[in-house]
Amino acid sequence: MARKFPTNEEKDSTAAFFFLFLYTASTLIRPHEMFQASTEWILIKTFAIITFCLVLMVQRPLKLYPQHWMLLALIPLIVMSGFLNGSGMFGIEEAKKLFISAIIPLFLMSTCITTIKRQHILMAVCLIASLLMVHNGHVQQTAFEGFGWALNSHSVGYIDLGERRITYLGFFNDPNDLGMFLVMNIPFAFYFYNKGQFLLKLAMLATLGALGYGIYLTGSRGSMLGAGGLLGVYLLVVNAGPKLFITTAILSPIAATIVASLQSNIDASANGRLEAWYAGIQMLMHNPIFGIGKGQFFDHHGLVAHNSYIHVAGELGIPGYSLWGGALIFTVLTGYLIIKASKLKNNLSDKTDELTEEKNSAFENERLLNKTLFFSMIGFMITGFFISRMFTLLLFIFMGMTVASHIRIVKLKSEYKQYFNNSLAFKSMGYCWVVIIAVYVSLKLGL
């Protein structure tokens, strides 16, 4: 399942998690960018480097899991793809970006979040960041020229016509990224609502209202579909059997393509999106092994794919998409299988369970966290179907938290290891192609 670095010790570095907390807060809240005097500070990189060094020196044991290996395997593939497409140095630069903004955050999150308390802390950071973004966006609705209180952040769109799509600092300066983050935080608010007493429940209800308001202010259709899709997936997971869930998962990309096709009759933007999807599939068919090169989609088509799955397939070909899609599907599928297995076991009387009451309580908490993180990843998968955010830092922060949850669950109950192993990871590299095939079939039928 994973490669273990040679060691007989087990050490949990508090210092490493402290700097991971600072890294997460500076990445999502971005306080240094709120003031002119500190905008040039390199806090995020500094905290990431310190955390990485502390993990390597102190944290034990260190393990690499299938998601780590899949993304690491993308590094030489991206470099090779760059050279074969006439831009070797660009390929090297793109590979370096992947290592810094994807592999390192994923590794740090999955390694340092060793307890439920640590998970709660980072979830709280995410919710605080989302509330600050929504409040800043609310200010942008009435402020002069759409500026918010966060330095130089302003709404986008035709302000004179009343269109003010909210933005925030850093990579949240695009309403679609902001909307995706808000969608992925909805399960966190529900989690704390279910766990808390009266005051916390009240606070989480207000938070859910703020998240919905913020998603509306982004004007992002993908985010709105993501929020609605979360409800549909929740009903499926809670009430439907595995066969119905799998059938729905296969048909969902077709349904989404149909929706985009119907919109294309009245919306030039939706029509352009369908054309970009078709162009991405053509890129894949003409360059099946190495694709057209990471970061080259726009140069070949003039627009991004507006679909994370097709974007990766077009740029990195069959091996590249299998690795990226495999890491994503494996993470989500593991979460789903643990949810269904836990639900089945809870419905049966298990008097032979040798775990202590304390461990059973810990497992129940981990089960709820796994369910929460599963829905956050589903939020990414749905919104990512309508925008190109395949290597966004958000994905790997949330994926890292989810992998950390799976590691803790397997540690508590070894029988769940069957849902978190190399065999399922390899299968996931095949399962991820359902999305591409479904979109291709839909487009060929002229939907």
Side-chain angles (χ1 to χ4, degrees), residues 257-258 261-262 264-265 274 439-447:
T257 308
I258 292 174
S261 177
L262 293 174
S264 68
N265 295 324
L274 287 177
V439 172
Y440 176 70
V441 169
S442 300
L443 291 174
K444 288 299 287 183
L445 292 175
L447 296 175

Side-chain angles (χ1 to χ4, degrees), residues 75 86 180 192 294 344 355:
I75 298 293
M180 172 182 280
F192 285 119
K294 185 175 181 294
L344 178 62
L355 289 179

Side-chain angles (χ1 to χ4, degrees), residues 49-97:
I49 292 171
I50 294 174
T51 307
F52 187 67
C53 291
L54 285 172
V55 166
L56 294 182
M57 291 187 298
V58 182
Q59 192 82 14
R60 294 294 183 273
L62 296 179
K63 296 181 180 180
L64 293 180
Y65 291 88
Q67 291 91 335
H68 302 138
W69 287 115
M70 290 178 184
L71 293 174
L72 282 170
L74 279 175
I75 298 293
L77 191 148
I78 290 171
V79 173
M80 181 66 70
S81 178
F83 276 103
L84 292 176
N85 286 285
S87 183
M89 293 308 299
F90 186 76
I92 293 174
E93 183 64 26
E94 289 294 313
K96 184 178 76 172
K97 289 180 183 178

Side-chain angles (χ1 to χ4, degrees), residues 16-33:
F17 177 75
F18 173 72
F19 281 99
L20 179 67
F21 162 77
L22 295 179
Y23 167 75
T24 307
S26 59
T27 299
L28 300 178
I29 300 176
R30 314 188 79 84
H32 57 291
E33 295 181 1

